[in-house]
Amino acid sequence: MTDKPANAHTFVKTSVMKTTMDKMMAFHTDPKALSNLTPPPIFMQLHRDDRTSISEGELEFTLWFGPIPFRWVARHEDGPTEHSFADRQISGPMAYWRHEHIFTEVDGGIELTDRVTIAHKSGLQGIFTRLMFDGIPLHILFFYRHLRTRLATR
């Protein structure tokens, strides 16, 4: 699904990090970034990485929550600002997922804003995605991701 459904909602996490734009972009350009930003006990299995830049190409991967697999194809594309990019689910467990990574120079470093717009499928799959990709788990995921980014871009 490419159009945002009416029932989609948005989660935003913002942190200021004492780093440079070059370090922030280098970290997010690294092919290992997604793996480094995936918190335990989730395991990320990469199947295909066709990205030609931070904002162009596709990734195909499986996120394993113990024995439960969630397979995704995500397209990387331009974000809303000059120093940003987005990944949008092309196929996967969500009805809609678009994650914008926005980097802004501010006093003291770089402000990292993660803006995720999501909508869930109906039925059993929607119950699982609400439990694993929304609410408290989403807050924990992005707390972890911002911590890992802060440590990696010092």
Side-chain angles (χ1 to χ4, degrees):
M1 176 178 282
T2 57
D3 294 330
K4 181 173 80 170
N7 66 338
H9 64 280
T10 301
F11 167 85
V12 178
K13 168 75 173 163
T14 300
S15 299
V16 175
M17 302 184 185
K18 293 181 182 179
T19 191
T20 65
M21 187 64 74
D22 287 342
K23 287 181 181 178
M24 185 67 77
M25 297 303 285
F27 174 72
H28 283 85
T29 304
D30 186 332
K32 295 179 279 187
L34 181 57
S35 178
N36 290 335
L37 293 170
T38 302
I42 304 167
F43 171 72
M44 196 272 303
Q45 179 184 13
L46 182 63
H47 305 293
R48 177 175 57 91
D49 184 349
D50 295 341
R51 292 175 296 167
T52 57
S53 72
I54 195 169
S55 61
E56 189 173 311
E58 290 186 2
L59 284 171
E60 183 174 356
F61 57 92
T62 300
L63 293 177
W64 290 89
F65 290 79
I68 303 169
F70 288 94
R71 192 162 185 134
W72 293 61
V73 175
R75 177 170 296 137
H76 280 226
E77 53 197 26
D78 289 334
T81 67
E82 177 186 356
H83 296 291
S84 68
F85 70 98
D87 55 85
R88 181 171 45 89
Q89 177 192 280
I90 301 303
S91 66
M94 308 296 288
Y96 182 86
W97 174 280
R98 186 168 195 275
H99 174 194
E100 296 173 336
H101 312 249
I102 304 164
F103 314 113
T104 307
E105 292 186 63
V106 296
D107 287 342
I110 302 297
E111 181 181 80
L112 166 61
T113 300
D114 282 295
R115 182 183 307 139
V116 184
T117 303
I118 58 177
H120 299 280
K121 293 180 180 178
S122 59
L124 187 58
Q125 192 166 22
I127 292 170
F128 277 122
T129 61
R130 281 176 178 83
L131 292 173
M132 296 180 191
F133 300 108
D134 211 339
I136 292 172
L138 197 60
H139 284 271
I140 293 168
L141 171 65
F142 281 94
F143 173 83
Y144 180 85
R145 290 179 70 125
H146 280 226
L147 177 63
R148 292 288 294 192
T149 302
R150 183 182 313 280
L151 294 171
T153 60
R154 289 190 214 180

